Amino acid sequence: ARATIGLTGLAVMGRNLARNIARQGHTIAVHNRTTEKMTSLVEQFGDEGDFVPTETLEEFVAAIERPRAIVIMVKAGAPTDAVIDELVPLLDPDDIVVDAGNAHYDDTVRREAALAEKDLHFVGMGVSGGEEGALNGPSIMPGGSEHAWERLRPVLTSIAAEVDGTPCTTHVGPGAAGHFVKMVHNGIEYADMQLIAESYDLLRTVGGLEPAEISQVFREWNDGDLESFLIDITADVLAHTDGDTGAPFVDVVRDAAEQKGTGRWTVQSALDLGVPVTGIAEATFARSISGHTEQRAAAAQTFGSDLARVEVDRDTFVDQVRAALYASKVVAYAQGFDQIKAGSEENDWDVDLGDMATIWRGGCIIRAQFLNRIVDAYAERADLPSLLVDPYFADAVRDGLEAWREVVATAARVGVPTPAFASSLAYFDALRRDRLPAALIQGLRDNFGAHTYGRTDREGTFHTLWAGDLSEEDQS
Ligand code: NBP
């Protein structure tokens, strides 16, 4: 055995990750169910590093130094289970199986438990950055045991993206912590993209800017505190014109956004944990609405698609939208980090929130300047109740608040849907409100279901005899 690590599953992602590992000087055994993908990888890129080509899983396993580190990069779901089932009988105690696919963290919990019974270590590892990232440096979020992390650390820290000399990977926590954090990362990505899309819609529809002009606006924003990969590629996509028609590219693309399910998973998990991730939820639902073409056509026919006209000063409006985008983005990240905190507490993962912001600074889709501020916020105060109350973000939100309200109000007046902007503002207002109408909800619940309520003026659990003499019982 001479390979430091092995990787099976050489489609787009696996192939690039294998090349990245080889380029960093690690000897890597490569395998794919269909051997042709393996041989073509070695033929095309064999000179990039030290690949050990293997055709059978037996050869593959035998080529790797013990305790073995084996990365699986196949289609998530049943294919991953199929590969694990074939591999396990060939392994020895303390070997490490890494699932680098986009698994649901419940699957990771199940797989880790099954492998632990055989004295094997299972690592659910989130990898973000797409094909490009896999090749040139992704953000890597491994869960699993300390033993597994120590074995994987040299390879992972060398292949991950790097920002200011710090690799964009760390041991996220035990168990399924890595895949959980990757899931929330993708949820935040949904919210980020929805906020960008709403900004574009407002600038175009209310501000009257053409896509090429909006591209310029995003370029300028990318020089400021919004600087990020997504803002940067938004400028690129909006500047692009369609080769066939000469029309702005964004005008020839069907307006039905697709999803692979990680946004939905994030929202489902958030509902279970009781964490309001309204930005991510609205972003996920907005994609659903966009795909409901029949309903959209029926509603457009019934109500028409006309918009009201509102006169705005163009430059002022551009600035207001920027402020609304930034404030809503703070809310989306605050909610995402709340979810990681809740998931970590529920599962005893002890995830360090500042570390998550650190490893997202490079390699991944949501990489952004902004994350440095989040790192600082948690360094300043590890038990921050919400990112929103960190002094830096609080100032930023305060500064942009008037503009944020103006943008949401204008959108509502005109008829441009801004679910993520509006719900983020509502979330912010709910958090800071002294009295919420939840008091009335408690009253209603007690009225129809005797669900009881607490009082503001004394301890206890109370019920009013709604069908009787309206007297109050202390039921505590
Ligand atoms: P795919 O998700 O398209 O999977 C193709 C690979 O799975 C091939 O190597 C194929 O082998 C193998 N495979 C399948 Br399908 N069924 C198998 C089975 N029963 N036994 C053994 N191998 C099997 O590849 P991908 O697009 O490279 O994605 C790989 C993983 O990475 C997925 O989990 C995906 O969700 C994730 N991903 C992540 C990102 C990101 O940005 N992080 C992007 C894209 C994908 P074959 O060649 O023999 O058919």
Side-chain angles (χ1 to χ4, degrees):
R2 64 184 191 84
T4 306
I5 193 164
L7 191 150
T8 181
L10 299 170
V12 216
M13 289 295 290
R15 171 187 182 92
N16 280 359
L17 205 61
R19 286 175 62 197
N20 184 354
I21 293 171
R23 284 174 177 188
Q24 295 303 322
H26 309 284
T27 302
I28 180 168
V30 283
H31 173 270
N32 192 67
R33 176 180 64 176
T34 312
T35 303
E36 197 270 325
K37 278 205 186 85
M38 185 280 294
T39 45
S40 89
L41 165 67
V42 177
E43 268 166 32
Q44 273 183 277
F45 304 107
D47 57 358
E48 290 185 353
D50 192 7
F51 294 93
V52 183
T54 65
E55 298 193 3
T56 65
L57 271 184
E58 286 78 3
E59 265 182 76
F60 173 66
V61 167
I64 306 162
E65 286 166 2
R66 287 174 62 183
R68 299 182 183 91
I70 297 179
V71 180
I72 302 175
M73 196 45 144
V74 302
K75 207 180 259 311
T80 305
D81 281 317
V83 175
I84 293 171
D85 289 347
E86 282 177 62
L87 264 180
V88 163
L90 309 174
L91 301 180
D92 292 290
D94 287 339
D95 283 354
I96 297 151
V97 177
V98 182
D99 173 17
N102 265 337
H104 191 289
Y105 68 96
D106 282 343
D107 284 337
T108 304
V109 170
R110 168 176 62 77
R111 289 167 181 152
E112 190 188 22
L115 265 66
E117 281 184 14
K118 301 188 155 64
D119 290 326
L120 298 172
H121 293 257
F122 185 78
V123 175
M125 184 168 91
V127 180
S128 175
E131 310 176 28
E132 230 288 309
L135 183 61
N136 297 315
S139 172
I140 312 178
M141 295 152 255
S145 65
E146 200 60 46
H147 161 85
W149 168 243
E150 285 310 324
R151 172 72 172 82
L152 297 168
R153 184 212 288 260
V155 173
L156 297 186
T157 49
S158 70
I159 64 167
E162 225 174 72
V163 175
D164 305 333
T166 305
C168 295
T169 186
T170 189
H171 185 209
V172 172
H179 271 147
F180 182 86
V181 164
K182 171 62 172 26
M183 174 190 76
V184 177
H185 162 284
N186 284 28
I188 293 174
E189 179 184 312
Y190 271 56
D192 238 340
M193 288 166 70
Q194 177 64 25
L195 293 170
I196 287 172
E198 291 177 15
S199 304
Y200 150 76
D201 197 4
L202 286 165
L203 292 177
R204 190 160 186 190
T205 311
V206 180
L209 281 74
E210 292 303 318
E213 295 171 308
I214 303 173
S215 166
Q216 271 313 312
V217 168
F218 274 90
R219 289 242 183 278
E220 282 159 29
W221 288 355
N222 203 37
D223 286 333
D225 52 13
L226 279 168
E227 182 189 339
S228 63
F229 171 69
L230 283 171
I231 296 280
D232 186 34
I233 63 169
T234 301
D236 292 345
V237 172
L238 288 173
H240 184 52
T241 44
D242 176 48
D244 283 352
T245 60
F249 168 78
V250 72
D251 286 348
V252 300
V253 178
R254 282 194 56 221
D255 62 346
E258 298 188 357
Q259 46 182 320
K260 284 189 178 167
T262 40
R264 188 178 68 233
W265 291 353
T266 313
V267 178
Q268 284 168 337
S269 149
L271 288 171
D272 290 340
L273 291 166
V275 181
V277 291
T278 55
I280 300 170
E282 290 296 354
T284 309
F285 287 136
R287 290 198 194 184
S288 305
I289 292 175
S290 75
H292 287 181
T293 40
E294 269 184 39
Q295 283 185 326
R296 288 177 55 192
Q301 202 180 16
T302 307
F303 301 104
S305 299
D306 291 349
L307 298 173
R309 282 194 166 278
V310 170
E311 287 302 319
V312 295
D313 174 74
R314 194 175 137 133
D315 291 345
T316 309
F317 190 66
V318 168
D319 277 347
Q320 288 173 333
V321 172
R322 194 199 57 76
L325 173 57
Y326 191 84
S328 303
K329 190 173 154 118
V330 176
V331 168
Y333 280 70
Q335 294 176 339
F337 277 84
D338 282 351
Q339 184 170 0
I340 294 178
K341 187 173 170 195
S344 175
E345 280 170 4
E346 167 115 342
N347 296 285
D348 289 325
W349 287 329
D350 203 19
V351 176
D352 184 311
L353 299 179
D355 282 357
M356 296 309 101
T358 302
I359 66 172
W360 289 348
R361 293 183 308 160
C364 65
I365 306 297
I366 63 172
R367 60 185 183 262
Q369 268 303 322
F370 184 79
L371 287 157
N372 283 308
R373 296 296 181 179
I374 300 183
V375 175
D376 293 346
Y378 284 113
E380 198 69 36
R381 191 174 165 192
D383 67 342
L384 201 60
S386 164
L387 261 189
L388 275 166
V389 306
D390 165 73
Y392 177 85
F393 289 119
D395 276 348
V397 169
R398 252 184 235 112
D399 287 350
L401 189 53
E402 212 183 301
W404 195 8
R405 292 197 191 289
E406 190 56 37
V407 167
V408 170
T410 303
R413 244 177 257 129
V414 174
V416 173
T418 53
F421 276 0
S423 72
S424 302
L425 181 58
Y427 173 84
F428 166 77
D429 280 329
L431 270 195
R432 72 184 188 92
R433 194 82 193 274
D434 56 347
R435 288 278 295 159
L436 287 167
L440 175 58
I441 291 175
Q442 282 300 81
L444 298 175
R445 293 178 69 243
D446 189 58
N447 180 300
F448 69 69
H451 290 300
T452 73
Y453 51 90
R455 292 184 58 100
T456 54
D457 52 358
R458 54 184 192 271
E459 289 296 306
T461 306
F462 301 93
H463 169 57
T464 290
L465 299 174
W466 296 101
D469 63 359
L470 295 182
S471 62
E472 184 176 74
E473 289 177 345
D474 185 346
Q475 299 196 339
S476 44

